[in-house]
Amino acid sequence: MAESKNGFSSSFGAIMAAAGSAIGLGNIWRFPYICGKYGGGAALVLYLVFVFLIGMTLLLSELVIGRRTGHTPMKAFEALQPKRRAWRYVGLIGIITCFLILSIYLVISGWTLNYFWESVSGTLASVADGDFAAHFAAFAASPVAPIVCLVVFAALTLVVILGGVQNGIEKVSKVLMPVLLVLVLLLCVRSLTLPGASKGLAYLFHPDFSKLSWEGVLAILGQALFSLSVGMGVMIVYGSYIPKSDNLFKSAMWITVCDTAIALLAGVAIFPAVFAFGQSPDGGPGLVFNVLPVVFNSMGNVGSIVFGGAFFLLLAVAALTSAISLLEAVTAWGAEYLHKRNVSAALITVLSCVVAVLAAYAYEGGVLGGVKLGGMSLFDWLNKLTGDYLPPICALLTILFFGWVVKKDVVRDELSNGGTLPTRWFEFFYLVLARWLAPIALIVALVAGI
Ligand code: PHE
């Protein structure tokens, strides 16, 4: 237990770990696609407004709740409002959400590991252009390979968590985040120097307000929240590890800037290449496993190995630091009851692998692919619950708690480090953003979603 209490050693380490959580599969396979689909520059401007005004407000509120109390979500809510204990269930919803996201993340991360291996070993280079969709479908539906991959990925995640907060999460993030930046820059340079790259840039950035539909607005808001890993308590747990002397506002700003920068760079790395080789833009697994391998193969054998390998390594690294934060959140919560961090981590990894295996088998064409509830497989349900419903509900309850239940003086005290930091922006943040704008935006999104 004691080790989970020794938090991050420096503000740089804390920012790298939290940025590692924020930068995930969503930045790479969802953000660029959403931008292109809903009007390029128009969508981008809206994303920036959402991520800095609403996403960052939620991020900051979670960091404050975590650092103020030094607890994991359930106990943190309770510590701030001991009289109305029901609020702690918001924390519980968050932890359940983390567990479910972790399970589905393990499946997809496993796929990226496999594709990394198939890139560098030259397997993908020998697949014909028209066969990639079938290649992926056969892999995802096979009973053994995806399971082995997800278990390997889970084991990697567990090893980092067993290393502890400082020697595991912080150290690994400080190495992997710069690696991720180098990989994405390498891919950007390759993509931008291809003939015809400008079409991809136009798709991403040229503003077209006619494509910005209401559906697009909601998708962009959802992406802004998911991308910052808010709405499930991860940032409450990481907040509890942030040194008391850190300026939380600055940390939140850095995390948001890093997350947004990588999302933009991912777009620049992907779409110019997609267009240069005459492929059509896509998002999600379709983009990553069906479209991009064709693009890498068009770069020749060496290109396919180097750039395909770099890309799938980028995905795996981004996924790993996100999975670490998810496993850490659930582990720290479990450790408050089990009093043994390592036991908690191992137990949760095993449970999450069980759900992940079921989800993997429930994917299209898998052994359990035919088992449906309400027309959707377990994989689709997990995707829907963790994508569309649980995080916005949890985020809404969290921000209502933060803006209306926690005392204003407590928030001011925490954000100003006991009155030692200037807080000129505080009233705007607290009264306008946290009390009104963020909750209203979330309510609108939830109602429209239903
Ligand atoms: N922010 C991650 C992404 O963009 C997803 C994530 C959500 C990771 C919640 C951890 C916790 O992919």
Side-chain angles (χ1 to χ4, degrees):
M1 190 65 223
E3 52 179 322
S4 73
K5 286 293 159 214
N6 80 27
F8 299 127
S9 68
S10 66
S11 87
F12 176 70
I15 291 168
M16 286 300 103
S21 170
I23 298 165
L25 296 169
N27 296 57
I28 299 166
W29 80 16
R30 199 149 167 265
F31 171 83
Y33 176 66
I34 287 185
C35 252
K37 182 170 176 195
Y38 296 112
L44 179 60
V45 171
L46 194 64
Y47 180 82
L48 292 177
V49 171
F50 282 166
V51 84
F52 280 95
L53 289 184
I54 298 170
M56 210 181 108
T57 298
L58 274 148
L59 173 60
L60 199 48
S61 68
E62 290 195 15
L63 294 179
V64 166
I65 293 173
R67 194 179 70 171
R68 182 76 185 180
T69 60
H71 286 307
T72 58
M74 268 184 100
K75 286 203 174 169
F77 278 88
E78 201 174 338
L80 285 169
Q81 184 43 275
K83 285 201 213 96
R84 279 177 257 158
R85 297 186 68 222
W87 279 106
R88 71 190 200 283
Y89 291 112
V90 179
L92 186 60
I93 300 175
I95 293 300
I96 294 170
T97 310
C98 284
F99 177 80
L100 296 177
I101 298 189
L102 176 63
S103 305
I104 203 137
Y105 234 79
L106 290 181
V107 178
I108 298 170
S109 309
W111 296 347
T112 67
L113 273 190
N114 176 71
Y115 268 67
F116 169 65
W117 174 245
E118 289 196 346
S119 294
V120 293
S121 63
T123 310
L124 288 183
S126 63
V127 176
D129 281 1
D131 293 346
F132 276 107
H135 181 80
F136 175 67
F139 160 71
S142 74
V144 181
I147 307 304
V148 172
C149 293
L150 81 82
V151 170
V152 169
F153 194 86
L156 282 174
T157 314
L158 177 62
V159 166
V160 177
I161 298 300
L162 293 181
V165 174
Q166 238 174 63
N167 289 324
I169 303 173
E170 184 175 350
K171 270 205 183 136
V172 166
S173 305
K174 283 204 270 198
V175 176
L176 288 185
M177 287 295 102
V179 168
L180 184 138
L181 181 65
V182 170
L183 287 171
V184 79
L185 287 176
L186 167 81
L187 290 160
C188 280
V189 170
R190 171 70 284 209
S191 185
L192 287 173
T193 50
L194 290 166
S198 59
K199 262 202 247 151
L201 289 179
Y203 176 76
L204 262 180
F205 296 121
H206 180 75
D208 179 352
F209 282 89
S210 69
K211 284 208 255 160
L212 187 54
S213 58
W214 176 232
E215 175 199 302
V217 173
L218 293 177
I220 293 166
L221 176 62
Q223 175 65 16
L225 298 178
F226 187 75
S227 197
L228 284 183
S229 304
V230 292
M232 54 214 80
V234 164
M235 291 300 178
I236 296 183
V237 175
Y238 273 15
S240 76
Y241 302 147
I242 294 185
K244 285 283 181 195
S245 56
D246 274 15
N247 182 336
L248 285 182
F249 178 76
K250 265 198 191 157
S251 304
M253 185 61 103
W254 271 114
I255 296 162
T256 311
V257 167
C258 291
D259 183 55
T260 308
I262 296 291
L264 285 169
L265 289 174
V268 172
I270 294 170
F271 283 119
V274 166
F275 280 86
F277 290 109
Q279 298 295 307
S280 51
D282 195 357
L287 169 75
V288 170
F289 301 112
N290 302 344
V291 176
L292 286 178
V294 180
V295 170
F296 297 131
N297 271 8
S298 312
M299 297 175 183
N301 254 351
V302 177
S304 154
I305 290 174
V306 172
F307 297 109
F311 177 76
F312 287 107
L313 185 61
L314 169 73
L315 268 185
V317 167
L320 181 62
T321 47
S322 292
I324 287 170
S325 73
L326 291 162
L327 180 58
E328 175 59 29
V330 193
T331 294
W333 168 80
E336 288 196 337
Y337 299 88
L338 297 169
H339 302 292
K340 286 208 177 63
R341 189 181 147 80
N342 292 352
V343 175
S344 171
L347 207 64
I348 287 150
T349 305
V350 171
L351 287 176
S352 186
C353 279
V354 171
V355 177
V357 169
L358 291 174
Y361 282 156
Y363 192 72
E364 290 158 32
V367 192
L368 300 174
V371 184
K372 304 239 154 133
L373 191 78
M376 294 201 305
S377 70
L378 173 71
F379 188 93
D380 300 334
W381 269 110
L382 281 177
N383 233 346
K384 193 138 198 84
L385 273 177
T386 57
D388 299 348
Y389 296 116
L390 292 173
I393 291 175
C394 189
L396 174 62
L397 293 170
T398 304
I399 199 70
L400 288 174
F401 178 78
F402 180 81
W404 297 93
V405 178
V406 179
K407 293 212 170 56
K408 186 176 172 184
D409 290 342
V410 169
V411 177
R412 189 200 296 274
D413 185 67
E414 194 59 30
L415 281 171
S416 65
N417 291 358
T420 57
L421 295 172
T423 47
R424 263 164 280 124
W425 45 271
F426 179 77
E427 297 290 327
F428 175 72
F429 162 73
Y430 185 81
L431 294 177
V432 179
L433 299 180
R435 279 209 157 166
W436 293 103
L437 193 71
I440 291 173
L442 285 163
I443 290 171
V444 170
L446 273 167
V447 172
I450 296 162

